[in-house]
Amino acid sequence: MILLRWFAIAGQLTAITVAQQFYGLRLELGLCYLAVGASIIANLIAIFVFPENKRLTETQNMLMVLFDLLQLSFLLFLTGGLHNPFALLMLGPVTISAAALTLRSTVFLGGCAILLVSFLAQFNFPLRTEQGFILAIPDVFVFGNWIALIIAIVFISAYSIRITSEVNSMADALSATQMALSREQKLTDLGGVVAAAAHELGTPLATIKLASGELFEELDDRPDLQEDAALIREQADRCRDILRDMGRAGKDDLHLRQAPLRAVLEEAAEPHMDRGKEIEFDIMGPEMAQPSILRKPEIIHGVRNLVQNAVDFAQQQIWVEASWTDDAIALRIMDDGRGFPPQLIGRIGDPFMKRRKSASEKNSRPGYEGMGLGLFIAKTLLERSGAELSFANGREAGPRGTVETDSGIGAVVEVKWRRRDIDAVSGDAPVPVGENQRIPV
């Protein structure tokens, strides 16, 4: 704000000097320099009173913009009002307010600007030449300037508010996407750590079980100690079962980075398998020939969000179809719900996209307030992995290989990758197989 004001001060002094020296206009120099001096004093106070890292409050920012608006209006009042072509600069403070301040402050400042423009259209000191001639444009042009400025104030304010809101929403949504991706990456890393722990702890637990078994047999004459040995063996068996459930792969097992296409899809859908809806997987091709793809967090979390959205809106059934060719891998997720709202299909994937729910939706899904953030995260993450997404409604026919349901197909989401982008064997970034580590005994 201070820097912008210095530029405004320099421009105002230049305009006053040029108007007087080169064009011979008779200005109220004392009052004009008073108006410019007020801006200089305000800037100096702001520099010396507030530290450089001072963050102004909403009210302080609004007052600063209001001061600039009033100062500019006073200067225009002294130099012809709307007869002065520099009246267009009245849009500057309002635009800054719309981009940086809240809606309430912008409405207040916009209203003040309209009142000031209306005042300047009727009351002002006329511009005079050295010979005493008054420089004025016809009244119809003054009226046109007044209307144009009012329309510009309203339009530019609304436009700036809209753009700023979109930018802020996108920034918030991208931040949420980064958090989701980071969480998925941590879970993936944690899975490798768990697998490595299961691998390494297997041998010492087996040793503990063997030693406790021998102690149990040798302590027949000491029942109290024999019970302790039995307890140690029992707890070792329990630890073995826990580790077996946590993971079987060894540390640095390169197979953790890839999996068959169906396995990745089932892993992505697993958190939503027990939510009262049936999820059916259809792999359109021989199981033995299905591709092995990269287990990227972006793919798993993105597909998981798409499945979650389908489960949220389905009546009973969700279909997950996968197919592939030598050049592409395609995925289609469908449900038997009501489908996407037709008026919003073109905007699906935008963050914080709300719509008013119908009475039936409120009754069937109370407390749910969709914001479009889940689909935005899914779309962003999957596109990062190289996918192309399309959204549609398909209530005309059932999926290939299934019987058409009574309600037909609702929402359809299609995801398509170039095979080389995610194929873990023949793609652009294949995973080296390597050799499994031998378990030390």
Side-chain angles (χ1 to χ4, degrees), residues 351-362:
F352 305 109
M353 181 183 60
K354 295 184 180 181
R355 69 179 182 91
R356 183 174 298 177
K357 296 189 294 184
S358 64
S360 60
E361 288 177 313
K362 292 180 180 178

Side-chain angles (χ1 to χ4, degrees), residues 304-335:
R304 181 171 297 162
N305 275 17
L306 295 179
V307 172
Q308 177 184 356
N309 188 75
V311 172
D312 284 341
F313 289 93
Q315 297 180 10
Q316 291 295 331
Q317 185 79 34
I318 297 93
W319 296 273
V320 180
E321 296 181 351
S323 60
W324 62 90
T325 65
D326 292 339
D327 300 320
I329 296 177
L331 171 66
R332 194 159 64 143
I333 300 174
M334 301 171 290
D335 61 70

Side-chain angles (χ1 to χ4, degrees), residues 115-429:
L115 291 176
L116 291 170
V117 167
S118 301
F119 176 83
L120 292 173
Q122 298 294 327
F123 307 100
N124 55 77
F125 282 85
L127 289 172
R128 295 178 182 272
T129 64
E130 289 182 343
Q131 293 77 25
F133 296 110
I134 295 177
L135 299 179
I137 60 177
D139 290 343
V140 66
F141 284 98
V142 174
F143 178 76
N145 287 342
W146 175 67
I147 291 294
L149 283 172
I150 291 178
I151 294 175
I153 288 172
V154 175
F155 175 78
I156 292 179
S157 297
Y159 182 80
S160 298
I161 290 173
R162 179 68 176 175
I163 294 298
T164 302
S165 176
E166 291 287 344
V167 170
N168 291 336
S169 296
M170 188 63 67
D172 293 340
L174 288 175
S175 176
T177 303
Q178 293 294 338
M179 292 175 62
L181 180 58
S182 175
R183 177 179 177 273
E184 194 66 31
Q185 185 66 57
K186 289 180 180 179
L187 291 176
T188 300
D189 295 341
L190 182 61
V193 173
V194 169
H199 185 129
E200 296 294 342
L201 292 176
T203 299
L205 284 175
T207 304
I208 293 173
K209 181 180 178 181
L210 178 62
S212 61
E214 293 178 352
L215 287 174
F216 181 83
E217 294 176 355
E218 294 178 0
L219 294 174
D220 289 337
D221 56 340
R222 301 286 302 275
D224 52 340
L225 297 180
Q226 192 177 45
E227 291 180 3
D228 293 339
L231 179 61
I232 293 174
R233 184 172 60 181
E234 177 185 346
Q235 295 302 313
D237 288 337
R238 183 183 177 188
C239 291
R240 179 199 61 192
D241 294 339
I242 292 174
L243 290 174
R244 183 173 55 195
D245 293 338
M246 290 170 66
R248 298 175 181 272
K251 75 173 183 180
D252 292 333
D253 190 345
L254 298 174
H255 291 286
L256 287 173
R257 306 180 193 174
Q258 61 178 329
L261 177 59
R262 184 188 184 101
V264 174
L265 297 180
E266 291 178 348
E267 178 184 357
E270 191 274 333
H272 307 290
M273 298 289 287
D274 300 323
R275 292 182 54 192
K277 310 289 178 67
E278 181 181 354
I279 302 178
E280 179 179 330
F281 294 89
D282 186 7
I283 305 300
M284 299 179 183
E287 289 285 342
M288 296 299 296
Q290 68 173 299
S292 181
I293 67 173
L294 301 173
R295 291 183 67 255
K296 290 184 175 182
E298 297 96 323
I299 297 176
I300 295 174
H301 195 85
V303 173
R304 181 171 297 162
N305 275 17
L306 295 179
V307 172
Q308 177 184 356
N309 188 75
V311 172
D312 284 341
F313 289 93
Q315 297 180 10
Q316 291 295 331
Q317 185 79 34
I318 297 93
W319 296 273
V320 180
E321 296 181 351
S323 60
W324 62 90
T325 65
D326 292 339
D327 300 320
I329 296 177
L331 171 66
R332 194 159 64 143
I333 300 174
M334 301 171 290
D335 61 70
D336 60 353
R338 300 178 60 181
F340 296 116
Q343 71 275 15
L344 296 181
I345 284 185
R347 294 186 57 209
I348 291 176
D350 289 350
F352 305 109
M353 181 183 60
K354 295 184 180 181
R355 69 179 182 91
R356 183 174 298 177
K357 296 189 294 184
S358 64
S360 60
E361 288 177 313
K362 292 180 180 178
N363 294 331
S364 62
R365 308 176 73 242
Y368 180 87
E369 185 66 27
M371 301 180 71
L373 190 56
L375 286 177
F376 170 80
I377 291 175
K379 184 173 182 289
T380 302
L381 293 180
L382 290 173
E383 287 178 346
R384 176 178 293 186
S385 70
E388 294 182 1
L389 280 76
S390 60
F391 303 88
N393 289 325
R395 305 184 65 83
E396 292 78 13
R400 189 187 311 173
T402 62
V403 179
E404 183 175 355
T405 60
D406 294 336
S407 59
I409 301 302
V412 178
V413 182
E414 292 186 342
V415 187
K416 187 174 182 180
W417 292 270
R418 294 183 304 176
R419 182 159 180 166
R420 68 185 191 184
D421 288 336
I422 63 171
D423 195 305
V425 178
S426 60
D428 292 341

